[in-house]
């Protein structure tokens, strides 16, 4: 009989640097992780000592009451086995987001080039401001990263393709 190699993997197709648009640039942190992002996004390393790195994107509507779209905020995170059950994370992330006023929350485990991660999408409303929010949480051996995007809904539509490529390009180095 014929043998079929129907193996499942927890990695999506690896995104090569050659597949990224020419206007993307690479960022490699001293801590070993790397990401590629559009060169029109502004890198903010003011909190790099704490491990947070921001990629800011200008807003299309300066009167929206939002300073700049956050292309991606990278936040390192660590916890112990006692603090969290990885299989319960999607549900607890959903609850945490809903408790901060995020609506239309969808949370799922997805395959990325760097491996499996939890992705959450929703709309965060603060006062009169509505923001599109996407969060990708990557964990390996209880160490990880939270990649967060927040932006005006109209800007999200414009930035969506670049954002997806940025998220796909992330290498946690864990």
């Amino acid at each position: 009989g014929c043998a079929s190699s129907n193996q499942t993997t927890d990695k999506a197709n690896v995104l090569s640097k050659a597949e990224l648009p020419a206007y993307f640039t690479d960022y490699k942190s001293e801590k070993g992780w790397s990401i590629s992002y559009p060169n029109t996004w502004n890198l903010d390393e003011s909190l790099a000592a704490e491990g947070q790195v921001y990629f800011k994107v200008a807003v299309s509507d300066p009167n929206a009451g939002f300073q700049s779209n956050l292309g991606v905020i990278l936040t390192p995170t660590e916890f112990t086995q006692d603090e969290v059950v990885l299989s319960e994370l999607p549900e607890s992330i959903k609850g945490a987001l809903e408790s901060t006023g995020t609506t239309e929350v969808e949370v799922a485990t997805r395959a990325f080039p760097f491996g499996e991660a939890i992705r959450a999408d929703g709309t965060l409303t603060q006062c009169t401001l509505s923001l599109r929010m996407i969060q990708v949480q990557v964990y390996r051996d209880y160490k990880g990263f939270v990649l967060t995007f927040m932006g005006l809904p109209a800007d999200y539509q414009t930035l969506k393709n670049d954002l997806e490529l940025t998220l796909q390009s992330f290498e946690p180095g864990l």
Side-chain angles (χ1 to χ4, degrees):
C2 297
S4 68
S5 62
N6 226 2
Q7 294 177 333
T8 59
T9 175
D10 66 351
K11 287 192 174 201
N13 291 336
V14 175
L15 185 76
S16 78
K17 299 286 182 210
E19 292 174 82
L20 290 170
Y23 58 87
F24 266 63
T25 189
D26 298 334
Y27 178 85
K28 187 156 180 55
S29 84
E30 293 173 6
K31 299 195 175 14
W33 58 264
S34 64
I35 196 165
S36 298
Y37 64 99
N39 60 18
T40 52
W41 295 13
N42 298 311
L43 172 64
D44 179 346
E45 294 180 283
S46 60
L47 292 173
E50 287 91 64
Q52 274 198 336
V53 176
Y54 294 81
F55 298 92
K56 296 179 177 178
V57 190
V59 291
S60 57
D61 178 3
N63 301 317
F66 193 52
Q67 232 171 357
S68 66
N69 295 302
L70 297 167
V72 174
I73 310 170
L74 257 142
T75 312
T77 179
E78 194 170 341
F79 45 78
T80 68
Q81 218 166 324
D82 305 334
E83 291 175 290
V84 74
V85 179
L86 289 176
S87 61
E88 294 172 5
L89 263 178
E91 208 46 52
S92 66
I93 290 168
K94 185 173 190 202
L97 290 172
E98 287 173 341
S99 75
T100 60
T102 307
T103 57
E104 301 162 27
V105 180
E106 288 178 30
V107 181
T109 302
R110 301 250 177 93
F112 284 86
F114 53 76
E116 207 171 71
I118 301 163
R119 178 176 171 142
D121 290 72
T123 303
L124 176 63
T125 305
Q126 294 177 327
C127 303
T128 58
L129 189 61
S130 249
L131 298 173
R132 180 81 174 142
M133 191 278 315
I134 294 171
Q135 210 173 59
V136 174
Q137 300 201 16
V138 186
Y139 296 103
R140 302 287 174 272
D141 298 323
Y142 297 93
K143 285 190 179 83
F145 292 92
V146 179
L147 289 78
T148 307
F149 165 86
M150 279 193 291
L152 298 170
D155 291 347
Y156 168 72
Q157 290 306 319
T158 309
L159 299 169
K160 192 160 65 170
N161 290 341
D162 283 347
L163 173 64
E164 290 302 327
L165 289 172
T166 299
L167 293 173
Q168 296 286 329
S169 76
F170 180 63
E171 270 299 331
L174 295 172

